[in-house]
Amino acid sequence: MELKKTFLACAIVMLLASACRSGLSRKAGADSREQDLAGIEKLHQQDIAATLSDDPSALAELWTDDAVRLEPGSQAEIGKSTIRADDEREKAARPKAKVVSYAPEIKDVRIEGNLAFEWGYFTGSYKETPDGEVKTFRGKLLRVLQKRGDGSWKFARVMWNPME
């Protein structure tokens, strides 16, 4: 009889320990997700600031080294250095152009390990010259983000298209 009581007590302790571990694991998972979402939101805010600054260096810092950008009407831009060079050429071709506004509307973010997938829309406006007319456009986007070793997030793949 004593052996049964000991066995039952051990079984109860193991069940309680398992339940506690499971609860802690879920809490750790929720905390990790919240940290990831906060890091992704930080990237979103950096994206807005860099886009409004129209600074190719600031924009380049948002990308992984092996990033790919797919934009309408052009070849795939492969690599952070290629993306930066293309942004610098665009800026040099239109030196007086100014981004007036940029507002992404992310509709869904899915996190899978060190990758996140998001889609949404964005609205932007710009002027070709300081005295020029403000032109507004809207687009849709699909982005893959990659978590870095320090916990920050960068764009790994970005594709967008204008909405007509």
Side-chain angles (χ1 to χ4, degrees):
M1 188 58 122
E2 199 61 37
L3 185 58
K4 284 184 182 178
K5 287 182 184 178
T6 302
F7 178 76
L8 185 59
C10 286
I12 290 172
V13 167
M14 287 181 2
L15 283 172
L16 289 173
S18 176
C20 287
R21 248 182 293 138
S22 177
L24 289 174
S25 176
R26 275 195 298 274
K27 182 173 179 353
D31 288 348
S32 177
R33 178 168 169 71
E34 290 304 314
Q35 288 174 348
D36 286 341
L37 288 172
I40 290 168
E41 180 56 29
K42 182 176 180 181
L43 176 62
H44 292 160
Q45 294 307 311
Q46 291 169 331
D47 177 39
I48 293 168
T51 300
L52 292 174
S53 77
D54 202 19
D55 175 7
S57 296
L59 289 163
E61 290 307 309
L62 305 175
W63 298 92
T64 61
D65 289 337
D66 64 345
V68 176
R69 181 168 65 183
L70 303 171
E71 295 187 301
S74 61
Q75 297 291 321
E77 298 164 301
I78 302 169
K80 178 179 178 174
S81 60
T82 300
I83 293 169
R84 180 180 178 157
D86 287 350
D87 287 348
E88 288 171 346
R89 270 192 296 283
E90 179 70 22
K91 179 108 174 120
R94 297 178 25 217
K96 295 185 182 207
K98 173 75 176 136
V99 176
V100 176
S101 68
Y102 171 62
E105 303 164 36
I106 305 304
K107 297 297 184 181
D108 184 38
V109 177
R110 303 224 175 152
I111 302 169
E112 298 292 333
N114 71 337
L115 296 175
F117 309 88
E118 63 184 20
W119 73 271
Y121 303 97
F122 65 92
T123 304
S125 62
Y126 66 97
K127 293 194 233 181
E128 293 287 342
T129 62
D131 298 333
E133 167 191 354
V134 174
K135 298 176 182 178
T136 301
F137 63 94
R138 186 158 169 80
K140 51 193 170 194
L141 59 84
L142 178 64
R143 302 192 287 205
V144 178
L145 290 61
Q146 186 175 45
K147 186 176 182 179
R148 312 309 290 168
D150 64 1
S152 66
W153 290 83
K154 302 277 185 180
F155 295 124
R157 306 289 186 268
V158 172
M159 178 173 59
W160 70 271
N161 283 304
M163 294 175 61
E164 313 281 328

